[in-house]
Amino acid sequence: MKKFAALTLSALIFGSGFLGAGGSGFAEGDSLKKFESLGKGDVKVVQGKGQKGPPTFVSGILSENFSKGNAKSAKAFLSEHEELFHVKNAEESLTEVRVTEDELGMTHVRLQQTKKGIPVDRNELNVHFNEDNSITAVNGNFDPELEELEINTTPAVNRNTALETAKKDVSAPEYVDFQTSELIIYPFEADYHLAYRINLEFHSATPGNWYVYVDAHTGEVIDRFDAMTGLGNFSDILDLEEITEQPQATAAQVKAKNEKAQEKRNELRGARGKGLGTTGVQKLMDISHGLDEDGGRTFYLADHSTSDMDGIFTYNMQNTSNQMWLYENDSASWKDVEYSGDSSSWEVVGQGPAVDAHSNSRIVYDYFLENHGRNSLDDQGMAIESRVHYWREYNNAFWSNGLAMMTYGDGDGQQFIPLAALDVTAHEMVHGITHYNGGLRYRFETGAINEAYSDTFGSIIDDRSWDVGEDIMGEAWLADGRTALRSSEDPGKFPVNQAYWAYSVDGEGRYPAHMEEYYFLPGNMDNGGVHINCTILQHSAYLVSEEYGMGREVVADTWYRAYDYLHFDATFAEFREAILQSATDLYGEDSEEYDAFLGAFDDIGLYEGWSLEENHRSPLW
Ligand SMILES: [Zn+2]
């Protein structure tokens, strides 16, 4: 690991500190005194320089016991400590998003900032209660200026017009698989817009999951980004000329498929099957079989073997980018796209990706159930569905929020071979878990945290190495010495895509392992570096596990728990505190585990209160 001089340390911890006898001298009113008077130990306040709104993270015992850990108690607490958290009118400005109770009996309340009932994009506040219903931490975003501002919340542009504008803006195909539109307040470039936040997901040859922000007064597009959570950003490598649009199914056709699918699935019986994965490894699988109309027997990659979840299904895209051929057939159902064969043995060349996706989905499902008590991606037993042979020579894999499925390309053989290897499967499925845990916006710092979760769990579940993608590398990349896609152990051993080299600290374009190497990319380049800056965080996971000797399980338990402390727009600084708080909950602040996480954050230069605005080298977009 590289060592960097911590030159900026003293500046970064400005505004943060432990409550001491002299107080900290910030505009925190009487709150710190009140916390102290509880007599229940230190309180930690982490605050970025010049930050308006609530501190980045406040932790310690912050209140007496409430009768219940819920949104009402959270709002009462925030109101009582207005000078510290800067929430003036909690009742009007905050709306409950979710309340979760964890295995330690703690309750995590997530509140959304609203203005006249309209959600403010980006601003969520978390309030955490221990098992006695005392508040132990508060973190998140809240914009106090908005409470005072007069904003016209009556749109002048109607929703359909905004939708059409958004579709044109991202060149959406005629049929869009999923679309939603919400009226929101969008803080953007020092201004507040009443806007439609429009989500468009489509699976044409160039899949997209766009968020487009259309000003509801002027009708203009303010901002956009593609939140398709893929394995990497390789668009500059794909041969775009080859891509042509295919006919799209209608919404009615898509909707009609599900009931039929369920009907036919129920006629199938379970069986054990075996197959050969892409790299020639034999896998055992749970599959199904059923009688055909002509009396023959067909086997399907449909696993109904677990009673309290909806099954594991693997579909054959037959090198298309959508299932038009399925929708056009009146008697068709999802059974027809389930990968099928005439025996329980799947060893024919070309079946490898299906065998991998199917068997790896089961491994990842079992991992989360056994280690984190999580029943499938949504923890509600949802079906795990994967699509293989997507498009032609497609060099990527992705999770889709709209479809709620994983998709794997076959690769072009040069860059990648079929992409359904175990660490990649885990990577994509963890994008699903992140989504159902409240999401991490797929952009800038937050998007890099999202990616780091996927890569880290990829290396926890596929524990042969701390590299991601060692089983999917194609001929040309292997010949070039590229043995994996990314490395958590030694990020800098691989170069990033050449398009980003100019943004690297030394011009050499290596994956970063330290905050001094952070890539300050604009939003239209890899969504601000989500697949690049992630390696800094996942390197800290490697360090905790291997250099500090805590092992993968400690990393997994701590990171998994930290989801409760994150929110849709969490920053690296919050990620640091979320992990440390999670380690405190699990092992205590005096534990070697806590020290390992703390040490690893120092090693990667992620100090308390780090902020993008303060540290950037290049102009910020
Ligand atoms: Zn990803």
Side-chain angles (χ1 to χ4, degrees):
M1 104 193 80
K2 290 181 188 169
K3 294 283 179 197
F4 287 79
L7 291 175
T8 51
L9 178 61
S10 59
L12 288 172
I13 60 169
F14 171 82
S16 74
F18 287 88
L19 173 63
S24 61
F26 300 98
E28 288 146 354
D30 295 332
S31 288
L32 297 187
K33 277 185 205 142
K34 278 187 193 163
F35 299 151
E36 192 177 22
S37 72
L38 295 169
K40 293 187 176 166
D42 286 341
V43 168
K44 184 182 178 188
V45 179
V46 177
Q47 188 147 25
K49 200 175 177 182
Q51 191 175 337
K52 56 180 185 176
T56 303
F57 211 94
V58 180
S59 57
I61 301 287
L62 308 177
S63 76
E64 301 284 2
N65 302 349
F66 282 88
S67 60
K68 240 185 151 184
N70 57 19
K72 190 167 172 250
S73 306
K75 288 182 190 179
F77 173 80
L78 292 168
S79 299
E80 188 191 340
H81 297 280
E82 185 195 322
E83 281 180 71
L84 179 59
F85 298 108
H86 304 279
V87 180
K88 236 188 187 128
N89 191 339
E91 210 41 63
E92 261 188 33
S93 301
L94 292 167
T95 308
E96 177 183 321
V97 178
R98 54 186 248 152
V99 177
T100 52
E101 196 176 312
D102 68 30
E103 72 284 359
L104 298 181
M106 292 184 65
T107 307
H108 307 274
V109 176
R110 188 163 300 178
L111 303 166
Q112 164 81 57
Q113 183 175 6
T114 50
K115 175 84 181 173
K116 294 189 204 166
I118 297 172
V120 181
D121 196 76
R122 292 186 179 157
N123 291 350
E124 290 179 331
L125 262 184
N126 287 332
V127 180
H128 312 271
F129 297 80
N130 66 13
E131 56 184 347
D132 301 323
N133 297 324
S134 291
I135 289 173
T136 52
V138 177
N139 71 299
N141 297 336
F142 185 85
D143 185 341
E145 281 174 22
L146 256 174
E147 284 197 304
E148 309 293 336
L149 271 182
E150 210 30 69
I151 289 188
N152 177 357
T153 51
T154 309
V157 175
N158 82 33
R159 196 177 289 265
N160 285 337
T161 309
L163 261 170
E164 288 315 309
T165 303
K167 284 180 183 172
K168 256 188 225 131
D169 185 66
V170 297
S171 308
E174 200 181 315
Y175 175 69
V176 170
D177 294 73
F178 297 93
Q179 63 183 46
T180 59
S181 62
E182 289 163 277
L183 193 63
I184 54 150
I185 308 284
Y186 192 51
F188 185 71
E189 291 181 347
D191 210 350
Y192 298 99
H193 300 259
L194 180 72
Y196 291 102
R197 179 174 60 200
I198 294 168
N199 182 207
L200 300 169
E201 183 168 333
F202 44 85
H203 295 264
S204 56
T206 313
N209 178 19
W210 286 94
Y211 283 87
V212 184
Y213 295 82
V214 179
D215 191 297
H217 291 308
T218 67
E220 278 168 28
V221 172
I222 309 163
D223 195 13
R224 72 183 73 75
F225 70 99
D226 184 1
M228 187 63 85
T229 42
L231 182 64
N233 189 11
F234 316 114
S235 55
D236 42 348
I237 294 162
L238 283 177
D239 184 357
L240 292 172
E241 277 175 31
E242 243 190 65
I243 291 177
T244 50
E245 291 299 337
Q246 292 178 298
Q248 301 288 322
T250 66
Q253 284 172 316
V254 173
K255 217 173 158 210
K257 82 193 182 212
N258 285 321
E259 287 163 36
K260 284 186 195 163
Q262 206 48 50
E263 220 170 274
K264 295 198 178 182
R265 274 175 182 168
N266 292 342
E267 297 163 8
L268 302 177
R269 290 162 160 250
R272 286 288 277 171
K274 63 180 165 69
L276 289 180
T278 293
T279 60
V281 177
Q282 195 173 69
K283 315 269 180 95
L284 294 173
M285 305 179 288
D286 283 297
I287 60 173
S288 299
H289 63 93
L291 281 177
D292 304 331
E293 275 160 24
D294 61 6
R297 190 168 290 279
T298 302
F299 291 80
Y300 300 93
L301 292 185
D303 171 356
H304 296 277
S305 64
T306 306
S307 57
D308 60 349
M309 64 94 69
D310 294 337
I312 297 173
F313 305 97
T314 302
Y315 306 131
N316 190 352
M317 292 298 288
Q318 302 189 351
N319 298 113
T320 63
S321 67
N322 63 57
Q323 290 96 356
M324 191 62 203
W325 55 271
L326 160 70
Y327 305 135
E328 281 174 342
N329 178 351
D330 279 350
S331 61
S333 81
W334 276 99
K335 196 187 77 165
D336 299 304
V337 278
E338 273 165 21
Y339 218 105
S340 60
D342 56 10
S343 90
S344 63
S345 174
W346 306 72
E347 297 182 338
V348 175
V349 173
Q351 291 180 332
V355 169
D356 285 335
H358 199 68
S359 57
N360 290 336
S361 292
R362 162 58 66 179
I363 291 171
V364 176
Y365 171 82
D366 286 346
Y367 166 81
F368 278 101
L369 184 66
E370 284 160 19
N371 293 278
H372 305 289
R374 188 182 188 93
N375 184 11
S376 193
L377 307 181
D378 63 350
D379 199 18
Q380 307 283 322
M382 70 181 272
I384 293 175
E385 300 172 281
S386 307
R387 312 189 300 172
V388 298
H389 297 313
Y390 179 83
W391 192 233
R392 280 179 269 129
E393 302 188 343
Y394 186 64
N395 274 319
N396 215 335
F398 60 88
W399 153 262
S400 152
N401 291 342
L403 286 176
M405 290 183 198
M406 283 68 66
T407 298
Y408 303 95
D410 288 333
D412 63 2
Q414 292 303 306
Q415 186 175 14
F416 292 121
I417 58 174
L419 286 102
L422 180 57
D423 51 5
V424 179
T425 307
H427 179 107
E428 301 310 335
M429 289 172 72
V430 170
H431 277 314
I433 287 173
T434 298
H435 170 67
Y436 292 109
N437 276 353
L440 288 163
R441 189 194 300 271
Y442 205 54
R443 208 177 192 192
F444 302 120
E445 287 173 80
T446 319
I449 299 171
N450 190 327
E451 274 299 312
Y453 261 93
S454 280
D455 269 5
T456 296
F457 276 98
S459 295
I460 283 166
I461 296 168
D462 179 0
D463 60 6
R464 295 166 302 160
S465 78
W466 283 89
D467 284 357
V468 173
E470 65 265 48
D471 290 334
I472 60 167
M473 306 312 284
E475 226 172 89
W477 267 17
L478 284 172
D480 212 25
R482 187 69 179 259
T483 53
L485 183 56
R486 287 182 290 270
S487 172
S488 300
E489 177 174 350
D490 179 13
K493 76 178 176 182
F494 298 127
V496 301
N497 193 298
Q498 202 161 353
Y500 311 125
W501 287 14
Y503 292 84
S504 62
V505 67
D506 53 8
E508 287 180 19
R510 316 304 293 187
Y511 276 92
H514 191 281
M515 293 305 286
E516 297 276 336
E517 300 170 336
Y518 189 95
Y519 281 67
F520 296 91
L521 288 163
N524 62 357
M525 294 183 82
D526 187 31
N527 286 13
V530 298
H531 294 100
I532 295 176
N533 293 317
C534 58
T535 55
I536 302 173
L537 301 182
Q538 63 208 54
H539 183 53
S540 78
Y542 161 79
L543 292 172
V544 169
S545 176
E546 308 305 320
E547 300 280 330
Y548 290 89
M550 295 297 111
R552 282 174 160 83
E553 200 176 319
V554 166
V555 171
D557 290 348
T558 307
W559 278 53
Y560 185 75
R561 182 176 178 76
Y563 271 124
D564 283 330
Y565 288 100
L566 296 168
H567 57 90
F568 198 58
D569 271 284
T571 60
F572 273 29
E574 278 176 281
F575 174 79
R576 179 189 193 275
E577 300 310 320
I579 292 288
L580 292 176
Q581 188 61 45
S582 171
T584 301
D585 295 346
L586 289 171
Y587 312 107
E589 217 176 311
D590 298 323
S591 62
E592 56 175 1
E593 288 89 349
Y594 180 91
D595 285 344
F597 284 104
L598 193 62
F601 281 131
D602 284 349
D603 295 338
I604 63 165
L606 182 52
Y607 305 114
E608 200 172 281
W610 188 90
S611 82
L612 198 70
E613 287 72 17
E614 218 181 314
N615 289 278
H616 66 89
R617 298 183 302 269
S618 39
L620 286 177
W621 42 95

